[in-house]
Amino acid sequence: MTKRALWKGVVLAESDRTVVVENNHYFPVESLRKENFRSSDHHTVCGWKGTASYYDVLVGDEVNANAAWYYPEPKDAAKEIKDHVAFWHGVEVV
């Protein structure tokens, strides 16, 4: 089933190949609409997935800081989410 990530009515990503981990849909990186993302300096660490990097989500003049995350080098237990991006902070997955 095709999933879409939406914020402010704009489709940020769309794919029928998301990977669900901890109730989050991880979208393949090639499904992202790149013009709606910019790199963030924010990072967090998950004990079993590794270190997450973040993107700010951009729609028009609005910025949703750190609303998308990914694991550039996930640990072996989470290798299926390499090259995938997940969302939060009001981004809706439908």
Side-chain angles (χ1 to χ4, degrees):
M1 175 185 288
T2 299
K3 294 291 185 185
R4 290 184 183 104
L6 302 162
W7 188 60
K8 301 283 183 185
V10 172
V11 176
L12 306 172
E14 184 172 5
S15 179
D16 60 358
R17 297 179 296 111
T18 63
V19 176
V20 180
V21 176
E22 295 180 327
N23 295 319
N24 293 301
H25 282 270
Y26 284 78
F27 287 76
V29 71
E30 65 271 9
S31 72
L32 273 62
R33 300 211 171 139
K34 305 271 193 266
E35 66 272 15
N36 296 110
F37 297 87
R38 75 172 176 215
S39 293
S40 166
D41 292 332
H42 188 67
H43 298 280
T44 57
V45 177
C46 171
W48 72 273
K49 289 182 288 212
T51 300
S53 295
Y54 287 75
Y55 292 118
D56 294 336
V57 171
L58 313 170
V59 171
D61 293 336
E62 299 202 49
V63 177
N64 191 345
N66 306 316
W69 76 91
Y70 63 100
Y71 291 87
E73 299 293 331
K75 293 184 177 184
D76 285 344
K79 65 185 176 203
E80 72 273 14
I81 59 171
K82 175 136 179 80
D83 299 322
H84 285 68
V85 178
F87 300 93
W88 66 336
H89 283 182
V91 176
E92 185 180 14
V93 175
V94 297

